[in-house]
Amino acid sequence: MKPDFYSENNSCVDAEAWEKKAKAFAIRSHKHLWGKNNEDPLSFLYLKGLNLNFIKKMSLGWNKFGHNRPCEGWGLPGKGSFFIPSGIVFPYIVEKKIRGIFIISMESPYSDTGSELILPGSFNGPLILGPGNREDRKATGIMEGLKIFQEDPDVFCVNISVPCR
């Protein structure tokens, strides 16, 4: 039985292996964001309108350097590798489980249409922040969705459409 959070494109993913690697990556990147030499990513997030408490609450992180990772170790089909670029890390967490990892490029800090990459094996449908019984808001990207949700997470349910790349 395939998990409900994987699309048909990810039916061959070993969900347990993927989640273990995704969780480790999210934790490591979160520690990098709050470690030394973190001025650039924190100022990027500030310029995008996010406050420090919200950044921590959403478990955002920072992948300082891009690197290749073997598909096999992440539970992905194939013998090759995939590239994880540098940028802000957004772990999509639902019911305390990581369902997706998204990397937001910091290349253009003044643009609201930043480049977002979905790591292979991630859930790639619309992302929902907050319970569905609240005022529904739509967002066209992760940063826009985070800003809306930050306004009042007790009032809004944000539906974020993300490009599949």
Side-chain angles (χ1 to χ4, degrees):
M1 179 172 131
K2 72 180 173 184
D4 61 347
F5 57 90
Y6 287 114
S7 73
E8 296 209 1
N9 299 351
N10 294 330
S11 61
C12 296
V13 172
D14 176 343
E16 204 171 301
W18 187 89
E19 187 176 1
K20 181 179 176 183
K21 289 290 188 176
K23 184 177 181 180
F25 177 72
I27 290 169
R28 185 173 60 251
S29 65
H30 184 73
K31 288 180 180 179
H32 286 167
L33 181 60
W34 298 103
K36 295 180 181 180
N37 303 316
N38 61 356
E39 296 85 5
D40 288 341
L42 287 177
S43 66
F44 172 84
L45 292 167
Y46 175 78
L47 289 172
K48 292 292 189 179
L50 302 182
N51 68 52
L52 294 177
N53 289 334
F54 183 75
I55 293 166
K56 279 187 179 181
K57 176 184 173 188
M58 297 306 292
S59 303
L60 298 182
W62 177 39
N63 188 37
K64 186 173 183 177
F65 300 108
H67 49 275
N68 284 303
R69 288 292 175 245
C71 291
E72 200 169 34
W74 278 69
L76 301 170
K79 300 273 186 216
S81 64
F82 66 98
F83 185 70
I84 302 176
S86 64
I88 300 299
V89 176
F90 171 64
Y92 181 54
I93 301 169
V94 178
E95 296 175 359
K96 299 184 181 183
K97 289 188 176 245
I98 294 184
R99 304 301 195 199
I101 298 282
F102 300 82
I103 309 291
I104 302 156
S105 172
M106 294 178 7
E107 293 300 312
S108 55
Y110 301 104
S111 169
D112 281 338
T113 58
S115 175
E116 299 170 351
L117 175 99
I118 304 169
L119 288 194
S122 295
F123 170 86
N124 61 8
L127 309 179
I128 308 295
L129 301 179
N133 60 350
R134 298 180 180 165
E135 182 183 333
D136 190 34
R137 293 281 188 93
K138 304 256 186 259
T140 57
I142 293 171
M143 292 307 294
E144 179 186 356
L146 289 171
K147 280 194 324 191
I148 293 169
F149 192 60
Q150 175 185 250
E151 285 178 35
D152 200 339
D154 295 328
V155 172
F156 300 130
C157 169
V158 181
N159 186 322
I160 305 170
S161 58
V162 291
C164 295
R165 303 201 281 145

